[in-house]
Amino acid sequence: MTSSTVWAQPKLSVQKITVLPYFHSISALEYHDKTIMAIGNDATRILLLSEDHSILDSIALFDYLNKPQEKNTNSNGIRATAVVTVANTPTLLIMGSGENRMDKSDIWLFPLKGKSYSELYTPAINIPDFYKRMRRLGITQINIDGAAEIKDHILLANAATAANNNNHFVLTEFDFWTKGATADLRIIKLNSDVKQPIRVSGLEYDVAEDLLLFSASTIPASSNESVESYIGLIENISSKLKQPSIRPDYLLPLYDFMPDMKGKQLQSICLGKQKNSGETIIHVCGIDANNRCYVYRFGMRR
């Protein structure tokens, strides 16, 4: 049932800031079983963090024969993740950006249930037909940079770039990876009132509130412009997925109350465990100009 609640202007408060010294370019955050999974775009391992961002352990994802790019390249392999349920098992969905190079067109499904925190090796699934259909439906530059499970569907974020300022959501069937050529596919444009173009970099779905959250940063027109970051909120999202375009209900500028965010690009977003009534816990990750990686925990009240 779609919620009809009308929410007040959300208020964010920063609760925790953590530098991840061993990461060079973080690209995704996911939350599962009281643990935050931090993933680098060239990672062979997932770093496991507590909700206070203490390092707990790590999970091996790839050896160099199976990871999404060669050891000595700089290509971005891991760009979008989501925790989904496959055959009643919590599963980590990992996607490349979907660009033309083969190493960015694969996806991986890592079962989380019953696995020790030692290895989750799994073969890649290639879905070229799915990306071809996206192009035929008007996505001129494929750049997948976020994923979320919404009821019985998967919502992907196709992010803007310096050459293409349009962000789109791609709504498809839950098991699209098995139906690349036939899976239902809908393209939804994301509009924004921000003067500078923004790039969506992560998606998260709050089931209880039917709320879509996304991380985003501005795309500087020149090296003299500073990056500004936002958390976007779309309420009652399940009732809006048949629309040709969607505008966020709120686009919260993080630099308004947190000058430390100035110049940092947000890379991903996930929800944490609610601790206080009426407060939503949000974790985001970002990188600065020197590729130092940060994780932030916010409390949000509406």
Side-chain angles (χ1 to χ4, degrees):
M1 180 179 296
T2 300
S3 170
S4 59
T5 305
V6 177
W7 297 102
Q9 172 73 36
K11 294 182 179 179
L12 289 171
S13 61
V14 62
Q15 298 180 349
K16 183 78 173 177
I17 304 173
T18 304
V19 180
L20 296 181
Y22 306 110
F23 266 56
H24 297 291
S25 189
I26 195 168
S27 60
L29 287 183
E30 290 298 333
Y31 181 84
H32 173 69
D33 195 22
K34 302 178 183 179
T35 302
I36 299 167
M37 295 180 281
I39 307 168
N41 65 8
D42 58 355
T44 58
R45 304 186 72 86
I46 295 176
L47 193 63
L48 303 178
L49 308 175
S50 72
E51 296 191 69
D52 289 325
H53 302 164
S54 300
I55 297 175
L56 301 174
D57 203 342
S58 65
I59 305 174
L61 283 177
F62 309 101
D63 58 22
Y64 283 119
L65 295 176
N66 295 317
K67 66 179 294 194
Q69 71 279 331
E70 294 300 324
K71 179 177 180 179
N72 295 318
T73 69
N74 294 317
S75 63
N76 296 343
I78 297 173
R79 295 287 296 277
T81 61
V83 176
V84 299
T85 303
V86 178
N88 297 317
T89 299
T91 300
L92 180 64
L93 167 68
I94 291 180
M95 299 184 66
S97 66
E99 292 184 73
N100 288 330
R101 283 177 291 182
M102 185 173 295
D103 65 352
K104 295 190 178 185
S105 298
D106 291 342
I107 70 171
W108 294 262
L109 295 166
F110 295 93
L112 298 174
K113 185 177 180 180
K115 291 282 186 179
S116 65
Y117 286 166
S118 59
E119 63 174 40
L120 294 177
Y121 296 130
T122 191
I125 303 170
N126 195 260
I127 52 170
D129 290 340
F130 183 81
Y131 294 122
K132 290 177 183 177
R133 292 178 62 212
M134 284 178 56
R135 292 186 181 91
R136 288 199 294 267
L137 290 174
I139 302 294
T140 56
Q141 183 172 358
I142 294 179
N143 187 32
I144 303 298
D145 214 348
E149 179 181 359
I150 300 182
K151 299 182 178 179
D152 57 347
H153 291 82
I154 296 291
L155 189 69
L156 305 175
N158 195 77
T161 65
N164 178 8
N165 292 337
N166 294 316
N167 293 281
H168 292 90
F169 294 139
V170 180
L171 182 68
T172 187
E173 293 181 65
F174 172 79
D175 56 348
F176 71 94
W177 49 84
T178 67
K179 304 176 180 178
T182 60
D184 290 340
L185 198 59
R186 178 185 295 272
I187 307 298
I188 305 166
K189 185 177 180 181
L190 177 66
N191 294 320
S192 167
D193 293 325
V194 178
K195 291 182 180 180
Q196 283 183 281
I198 62 171
R199 176 185 70 89
V200 173
S201 57
L203 298 180
E204 179 68 297
Y205 179 58
D206 187 333
V207 178
E209 303 293 354
D210 193 25
L211 175 71
L212 183 72
L213 304 91
F214 63 87
S215 52
S217 300
T218 56
I219 302 173
S222 70
S223 58
N224 296 323
E225 288 188 10
S226 181
V227 174
E228 297 176 353
S229 295
Y230 299 84
I231 291 177
L233 307 175
I234 302 175
E235 298 166 346
N236 303 319
I237 181 63
S238 62
S239 68
K240 299 177 180 179
L241 293 176
K242 292 185 179 181
Q243 300 174 185
S245 63
I246 297 177
R247 189 175 300 275
D249 293 288
Y250 300 102
L251 200 55
L252 308 176
L254 301 185
Y255 57 86
D256 272 5
F257 68 97
M258 198 177 163
D260 177 70
M261 287 299 302
K262 198 82 170 180
K264 294 185 176 70
Q265 294 185 15
L266 290 193
Q267 298 294 91
S268 189
I269 185 170
C270 72
L271 293 174
K273 183 179 179 180
Q274 182 176 339
K275 297 182 179 180
N276 302 310
S277 177
E279 182 181 55
T280 302
I281 300 299
I282 302 170
H283 301 273
V284 300
C285 61
I287 58 173
D288 64 15
N290 296 313
N291 274 340
R292 285 189 295 263
C293 299
Y294 300 78
V295 180
Y296 300 84
R297 187 181 73 210
F298 296 100
M300 181 177 72
R301 291 186 177 274
R302 302 191 290 163

